[in-house]
Amino acid sequence: MQGILLSLKQLLKTSILMIISITFIITSATFIGQQPSYATTLEELKLIPPDYKPNAEEKINRAYEFDPGVGIQQEDRQQAYEQALKDSENLNTLEKAYERNLKDRQAENPQGGIVEKASDLIENVTGK
C-alpha cells in the first residue's frame, strides 16, 4: 500500500513539474515570438512615389485626419514657419523678431533659465 502511495506521490510531483514547465515555455514563447515589424512591403512603397512632396495645406489636412490636436499643432508650426520667413527678409525685422521671441520666452518662464541666473550671479560677484 505504501509503495502505491509513494509512486502516486512521485507521479503527481512529476506531472505538476511538467505542467509548470510547459506553461512557462508557452508564455515565454508568446512574448519572444510576437515582436513588432516596422518593415514596409513593396506594394506600400509603390503607393507613395519617391518624388511626392506634400505642400503645407496637405500636411495640415493629413494631420487633422490623424488627430485634431495634431492638426492644430501642424497649423501652429506652419504659421511660425511663415512668420520666420517674413521676419528673415531683412536684418531690422530679424532683430525685432528676436526681441519678440525673447519677450515671449521670458513671459513663459518668468524665473529665468540657469544661464540667466548664472550670468546674474557672476555680475553680482564681479560687481560689474
Side-chain angles (χ1 to χ4, degrees), residues 60-101:
I60 292 172
N61 290 339
R62 186 173 176 188
Y64 269 115
E65 288 175 4
F66 181 70
D67 186 15
V70 176
I72 292 171
Q73 288 177 348
Q74 184 66 28
E75 279 183 353
D76 292 343
R77 184 178 303 146
Q78 185 63 31
Q79 289 173 355
Y81 175 73
E82 290 170 0
Q83 182 67 33
L85 281 178
K86 192 186 312 178
D87 290 340
S88 68
E89 289 175 356
N90 68 26
L91 189 59
N92 193 19
T93 57
L94 190 61
E95 290 175 5
K96 289 179 183 177
Y98 173 74
E99 291 172 3
R100 185 178 62 240
N101 289 339

Side-chain angles (χ1 to χ4, degrees), residues 2-20:
Q2 286 183 339
I4 296 173
L5 289 176
L6 286 175
S7 64
L8 285 175
K9 184 178 175 182
Q10 184 68 25
L11 180 65
L12 183 63
K13 283 183 181 180
T14 55
S15 64
I16 290 174
L17 183 63
M18 289 296 283
I19 290 173
I20 290 173

Side-chain angles (χ1 to χ4, degrees), residues 24-71:
F24 178 72
I25 290 172
I26 289 173
T27 55
S28 65
T30 58
F31 291 122
I32 293 173
Q34 295 181 352
Q35 294 185 358
S37 174
Y38 299 111
T40 61
T41 61
L42 185 59
E43 290 79 20
E44 289 174 345
L45 291 175
K46 288 179 183 177
L47 291 175
I48 301 174
D51 57 342
Y52 174 70
K53 303 287 187 225
N55 61 14
E57 190 66 31
E58 290 174 344
K59 286 180 183 179
I60 292 172
N61 290 339
R62 186 173 176 188
Y64 269 115
E65 288 175 4
F66 181 70
D67 186 15
V70 176

